[in-house]
Amino acid sequence: MEDPEKTEVVLLACGSFNPITNMHLRLFELARDYMNGTGKYRVIKGIISPVGDAYKKKGLISAHHRVIMAELATKHSSWVEVDSWESLQKEWTETEKVLRHHQEKLEAGGCDRQQDSPVLERPGRKRKWAEQRPEVSQKKSLEPRTKGVPEVKLLCGADILESFGVPNLWKSEDIAKIVGDYGLVCVTRVGNDAQKFIYESDVLWKHRANIHLVNEWITNDISSTKIRRALRRGQSIRYLVPDLVGEYIEKHSLYSPESEERNVGVVLAPLQRNTADINSNPTA
């Protein structure tokens, strides 16, 4: 029997996934174990949302390939799926807006939830009608959530938490909405300064009850950056990424010294936009 007192949670991970690794998948498992273990929550779904090409990160290959690799990586998962809505946007989309998009989809009705839930249909063409429909009005997101609707929370590593302190990378009001309106599930390592970082940030401290720190007791140092470096040097990445992902990368020769130079010298989209906003409104 399901406990009606538990809050249902959807874990949303936004990022480059360039490429997706076994560590990305482990984050979901660690977070679900922790949240379910609190006795207050029940994780019902995980969503991987690759960023669009307009993010302009150095070495970022086409979202088309990154979405397919993520779908291959989650092919055998009973609860983690890929959503391409963010990757299909022509302009870079703030994380707060991605969270809002998924929360509004859940609030739109139970039928959406049944279509998107653990049934393992691969996301893609069949679901694009839903992904591309107009956004529910922003006014709706300011209203209290419907009772019983699952809560979307941002799943991330400690590096994302600490990136909140990088000047102009995040808007302060977006940080407040992310941690205040949705919440963070942050996977951190023993000895990490995540708690100190929260203490030193007024906005994070204010919403600390909505930040869940998950200790990664069995440490895993795999990263997309290290995977790309190994590929450039002709080294094996087997057992670091799912086999289907490794085969896809090899088949399409995705990572090379040339691909790593993509977007070199281009300002990262959030830095460019947020800096422009500050310059156009210096008193803000």
Side-chain angles (χ1 to χ4, degrees):
M1 289 280 293
E2 295 176 358
D3 188 345
E5 298 301 314
K6 291 183 180 179
T7 301
E8 293 186 333
V9 169
V10 172
L11 298 171
L12 172 69
C14 299
S16 301
F17 301 101
N18 187 41
I20 191 168
T21 72
N22 287 338
M23 184 59 218
H24 289 127
L25 303 177
R26 278 295 296 160
L27 291 180
F28 281 94
E29 298 295 329
L30 290 164
R32 181 172 68 163
D33 283 349
Y34 174 86
M35 295 298 281
N36 288 351
T38 65
K40 300 177 182 178
Y41 302 99
R42 186 171 71 88
V43 175
I44 62 168
K45 183 167 66 172
I47 300 174
I48 292 173
S49 179
V51 74
D53 294 339
Y55 187 55
K56 299 298 183 183
K57 187 175 184 179
K58 180 180 178 294
L60 188 66
I61 67 165
S62 165
H64 167 76
H65 289 305
R66 290 183 287 110
V67 168
I68 290 176
M69 286 189 288
E71 289 178 341
L72 290 171
T74 56
K75 185 175 182 179
H76 301 297
S77 175
S78 62
W79 68 285
V80 181
E81 64 181 36
V82 183
D83 190 282
S84 60
W85 179 82
E86 181 183 1
S87 70
L88 293 171
Q89 304 308 300
K90 291 182 180 179
E91 295 185 350
W92 166 70
T93 305
E94 292 93 336
T95 300
E96 186 272 329
K97 290 182 180 177
V98 182
L99 283 161
R100 189 201 315 160
H101 166 79
H102 287 286
Q103 188 64 59
E104 288 177 348
K105 277 183 71 174
L106 291 169
E107 291 174 359
C111 59
D112 277 0
R113 183 178 158 195
Q114 286 182 352
Q115 287 174 359
D116 288 344
S117 239
V119 182
L120 252 196
E121 272 182 320
R122 292 328 307 156
R125 290 155 190 76
K126 222 174 175 182
R127 218 194 291 163
K128 276 192 181 167
W129 66 270
E131 292 167 349
Q132 297 192 31
R133 70 187 172 196
E135 288 275 343
V136 182
S137 70
Q138 185 170 352
K139 184 178 179 182
K140 182 179 183 297
S141 68
L142 301 176
E143 298 171 358
R145 292 195 187 118
T146 306
K147 188 176 181 181
V149 173
E151 295 181 2
V152 178
K153 294 188 181 297
L154 183 65
L155 172 62
C156 66
D159 56 329
I160 299 296
L161 185 71
E162 293 174 0
S163 76
F164 287 163
V166 178
N168 299 333
L169 187 60
W170 299 83
K171 291 181 181 177
S172 57
E173 58 265 34
D174 281 2
I175 296 174
K177 288 178 182 177
I178 290 170
V179 293
D181 295 352
Y182 303 98
L184 284 178
V185 182
C186 178
V187 179
T188 182
R189 293 179 182 174
V190 181
N192 191 278
D193 285 338
Q195 287 182 318
K196 180 183 177 184
F197 189 80
I198 292 170
Y199 177 75
E200 292 176 347
S201 165
D202 287 343
V203 66
L204 296 182
W205 181 256
K206 178 182 178 182
H207 299 290
R208 64 191 181 279
N210 216 14
I211 301 175
H212 306 272
L213 296 181
V214 184
N215 276 330
E216 181 194 356
W217 296 107
I218 304 174
T219 57
N220 184 333
D221 201 29
I222 301 171
S223 72
S224 297
T225 300
K226 292 177 180 178
I227 296 296
R228 295 198 307 275
R229 182 185 300 135
L231 287 166
R232 292 198 306 274
R233 296 174 183 178
Q235 297 172 338
S236 170
I237 59 168
R238 193 162 192 201
Y239 309 120
L240 301 177
V241 301
D243 285 345
L244 291 175
V245 173
E247 291 167 9
Y248 186 86
I249 290 172
E250 183 177 2
K251 178 180 178 181
H252 296 277
S253 303
L254 291 185
Y255 294 102
S256 64
E258 291 73 30
S259 70
E260 196 64 18
E261 292 303 304
R262 190 174 183 185
N263 294 325
V264 166
V266 180
V267 178
L268 203 63
L271 287 172
Q272 189 174 23
R273 184 180 298 176
N274 296 339
T275 303
D277 288 346
I278 289 171
N279 291 338
S280 64
N281 191 14
T283 58

